[in-house]
Amino acid sequence: MTLRSVIAGCGGHLPPNVLDNDALAARFGLDTSDAWIRERSGITQRHLAGPDESCASLGAEAARKALAHAGAAVDEVDGIIVATATPDHAFPSTAVRIQALLGMTRGFGFDLSAACTGFVYALSVADAMIRAGQAKSLLVIGSEVYSRILDWTDRGTCVLFGDGAGAVLLRAEEGERGVLSTHLHADGRHGDILLVEGTAGPLRMAGREVFKHAVNKLSAVVDEALAANSIGREDVQWLVPHQANIRIIEAMGKKLGLPRERVVVTVDRHANTSAASVPLALAEAVHDGRIQRGDLVLLEAIGGGLTWGGALVRF
Ligand SMILES: CC(C)(COP(=O)(O)OP(=O)(O)OC[C@H]1O[C@@H](n2cnc3c(N)ncnc32)[C@H](O)[C@@H]1OP(=O)(O)O)[C@@H](O)C(=O)NCCC(=O)NCCS
């Protein structure tokens, strides 16, 4: 039998404040339209954190839901890994703030930064720790408050992002289910096409260039994940892609030959929540009953760095 990291539970949390495209344009006096945003990105609305919400509070709420879904108590958890590009503080890390919010007094916690690919990176690190015997149970969280690093006068970027958090509880188990492989990449030569100025922002993006890289690099990582597991694209049952743009998502679904209903889409309602987007989409499709135990699920993401990666999971 093989020791694997099984996704024992998932949870997502979105701030209650929702702004649709028209309300966003009106609020910030932007020269844009609902039609332009929908057509170019598929986004109709986004959730934005209020003054009492933080990267840690959103992440803690998602973690609570993941623990409840797994039927786990916090004392089971050996550590917390948080993927975020928008931590509340340089330190302490978001992970240890979440640890305190959950009432955990043992284990370890640290943050990891890989922009929109952050959750796939964190999943990969957590999976390696579990398989190496360093931990038996880990919370892996993506949590973001991009609303705090956006330039609200730049219509080319501010309409595309939202706030939220997603989490999974990974547990060491013997068997066929769990994370089958993860594939991480970075190419710092392209760092300037999507970056946050300094540490507080704003975010700047050359959208068209990012778009081209996204389609090419995500296609390559999908092929890599299939080849590493000696499986064909017809074996993949669900694609849970990074939620940046519906056109990129549809291109990936087409590449895998998946019907539309097998590609999990949340970008229309969540916009791009960066490291939170994949675990939020996964949690939605698991909790509404689409993704079932034993299904083969492909996760992929690309983001600033450039960083990109994929993971194949037998849920
Ligand atoms: C950002 C994105 C939606 C823009 O779509 P696009 O078709 O590439 O559009 P462009 O950036 O070339 O801009 C086209 C025109 O629309 C304008 N425009 C940009 N934002 C606009 C908005 N919100 N409303 C109206 N017009 C807008 C531009 O100013 C430009 O006008 P010009 O031709 O007069 O200069 C698209 O490039 C994209 O999705 N890129 C990938 C972004 C991404 O996924 N990032 C995250 C990765 S993690």
Side-chain angles (χ1 to χ4, degrees), residues 31-33 36-37 40-41 116 155-157 159-161 194 205-211 214 242 244-245 247-248 272 302-304:
D31 180 15
T32 187
S33 66
W36 193 97
I37 300 168
R40 302 292 173 113
S41 69
C116 298
R155 65 180 182 171
T157 55
V159 302
L160 302 173
F161 294 90
L194 176 52
M205 178 173 73
R208 230 173 240 192
E209 273 191 76
V210 174
F211 194 99
H242 174 45
N245 185 306
R247 292 182 290 155
I248 300 172
N272 181 350
I302 183 163

Side-chain angles (χ1 to χ4, degrees), residues 64-224:
R64 280 190 195 102
K65 290 179 190 166
L67 287 167
H69 181 222
V74 283
D75 3 324
E76 167 189 321
V77 179
D78 295 321
I80 302 176
I81 305 177
V82 176
T84 186
T86 52
D88 304 315
H89 307 276
F91 69 84
S93 67
T94 314
V96 302
R97 298 295 254 207
I98 292 175
Q99 183 197 31
L101 288 169
L102 294 177
M104 258 175 81
T105 51
R106 62 178 287 273
F108 62 84
F110 63 91
D111 289 4
L112 169 162
S113 164
C116 298
T117 322
F119 181 78
V120 175
Y121 268 59
L123 188 74
S124 180
V125 171
D127 173 48
M129 292 185 84
I130 284 180
R131 285 185 296 106
Q134 266 186 293
K136 287 200 169 65
S137 175
L138 292 174
L139 273 169
V140 184
I141 304 168
S143 187
E144 302 282 16
V145 279
Y146 265 52
S147 58
R148 304 208 170 136
I149 55 159
L150 293 172
D151 175 353
W152 291 101
T153 65
D154 176 11
R155 65 180 182 171
T157 55
C158 73
V159 302
L160 302 173
F161 294 90
D163 300 334
V168 300
L169 181 75
L170 282 189
R171 248 194 214 136
E173 277 180 30
E174 303 271 349
E176 302 303 317
R177 283 177 43 224
V179 177
L180 304 184
S181 68
T182 59
H183 307 273
L184 306 184
H185 296 279
D187 187 345
R189 290 175 302 171
H190 307 299
D192 289 344
I193 63 173
L194 176 52
L195 62 75
V196 173
E197 287 178 8
T199 49
L203 175 149
R204 301 282 178 219
M205 178 173 73
R208 230 173 240 192
E209 273 191 76
V210 174
F211 194 99
K212 273 189 263 164
H213 282 291
V215 175
N216 294 336
K217 292 185 162 51
L218 291 174
S219 287
V221 88
V222 163
D223 287 338
E224 188 185 339

Side-chain angles (χ1 to χ4, degrees), residues 233 235-241 256 258-264 282 285 288-292 294-299 311-313 315:
R233 56 181 204 160
D235 296 317
V236 175
Q237 286 162 290
W238 296 97
L239 175 64
V240 182
L256 282 163
L258 281 171
R260 272 177 163 224
E261 61 275 15
R262 290 271 158 182
V263 180
V264 180
L282 180 68
D288 69 17
R290 275 178 286 168
I291 296 180
Q292 298 283 325
D295 283 355
L296 195 57
V297 183
L298 184 63
L299 316 177
L312 199 67
V313 178
F315 186 74

